[in-house]
Amino acid sequence: MAQRMEILDGGTLDYYEAFYSATEANALFEQLRTQTPWRQERSRMRPFPRLTAWYADAGLTYRYSGVTHEATPWTPQLLEVRQHVEQAATAPFNSVLLNFYRDGQDSIGYHSDAEPELGVNPIIASISLGEVRQFVLKHVKTGEKLKFNLAHGSLLIMGGTSQHHWVHAVPKTKAEVGRRVNLTFRNIRS
């Protein structure tokens, strides 16, 4: 069952702490960690502090931060995860961006998923596997911060106007942390 949170300016967060059981999450984490064709992408200025991979329906392209992803065909495993996430989110998804955080120095800075090809109020669904890392949302105008420790096997769905009024990040940490894989589902409009 999801915990629902209404956030400032019309955003919503739905959090499923145990979307996958520990056994399921462990197996999925290990398969994705070892079988994904991870890449070290570069922004205009430097390498991303994490590894990435992008799967999508045929013919789709996704651009952000100076990087262009061409569709890698879905694996049977990722198609199954996609269907499970679509049921929970009651929304269609045609792509997933995977991020591999190797340690506490791997991160993603504040950003929103508000690219025009995602539509007016995109629904973003994010599965966390592996080490627990802090996920931070910050309101663009007020600076209000919401901090969450996303559990292994959890699902966070950001909806409503969240991508227009909030930015989110997984900051670096000096704490000793292990590896984490994050799957972020989006629906790209052609």
Side-chain angles (χ1 to χ4, degrees):
M1 184 92 174
Q3 296 173 313
R4 162 66 60 111
M5 177 185 277
E6 305 282 336
I7 58 176
L8 193 60
D9 289 334
T12 60
L13 302 175
D14 291 305
Y15 182 61
Y16 296 78
E17 186 172 15
F19 188 67
Y20 285 106
S21 71
T23 301
E24 293 169 325
N26 289 341
L28 185 57
F29 171 78
E30 201 53 36
Q31 289 172 341
L32 292 173
R33 186 186 69 78
T34 59
Q35 297 173 16
T36 300
W38 298 109
R39 294 178 55 187
Q40 178 75 62
E41 300 286 358
R42 291 186 62 85
S43 69
R44 293 172 191 90
M45 302 191 314
R46 63 184 181 280
F48 288 166
R50 63 193 173 282
L51 303 179
T52 61
W54 190 66
Y55 294 83
D57 291 356
L60 291 177
T61 301
Y62 186 47
R63 293 177 184 84
Y64 64 93
S65 300
V67 172
T68 299
H69 287 286
E70 301 295 334
T72 300
W74 294 91
T75 65
Q77 177 190 48
L78 285 174
L79 279 174
E80 187 177 307
V81 173
R82 171 184 167 179
Q83 291 170 348
H84 195 192
V85 171
E86 286 177 333
Q87 288 173 351
T90 62
F93 297 108
N94 59 15
S95 67
V96 63
L97 179 66
L98 282 72
N99 288 295
F100 181 33
Y101 300 88
R102 297 160 290 188
D103 58 29
Q105 292 307 296
D106 276 0
S107 63
I108 188 165
Y110 282 112
H111 68 285
S112 67
D113 295 307
E115 293 87 358
E117 62 266 31
L118 298 179
V120 177
N121 287 321
I123 296 172
I124 307 297
S126 179
I127 292 177
S128 294
L129 300 167
E131 192 71 30
V132 173
R133 291 287 299 269
Q134 189 172 77
F135 178 79
V136 182
L137 285 110
K138 183 170 76 170
H139 192 269
V140 174
K141 289 184 182 172
T142 68
E144 175 188 355
K145 288 184 181 178
L146 303 173
K147 297 179 181 181
F148 302 92
N149 290 321
L150 299 178
H152 175 49
S154 67
L155 171 66
L156 177 68
I157 302 168
M158 296 179 281
T161 60
S162 61
Q163 299 306 312
H164 302 290
H165 301 288
W166 295 80
V167 290
H168 52 275
V170 175
K172 293 182 187 304
T173 178
K174 291 182 181 178
E176 290 289 324
V177 295
R179 298 173 287 206
R180 173 181 186 257
V181 171
N182 173 255
L183 296 83
T184 306
F185 290 85
R186 298 168 172 83
N187 193 45
I188 296 173
R189 299 173 186 205
S190 50

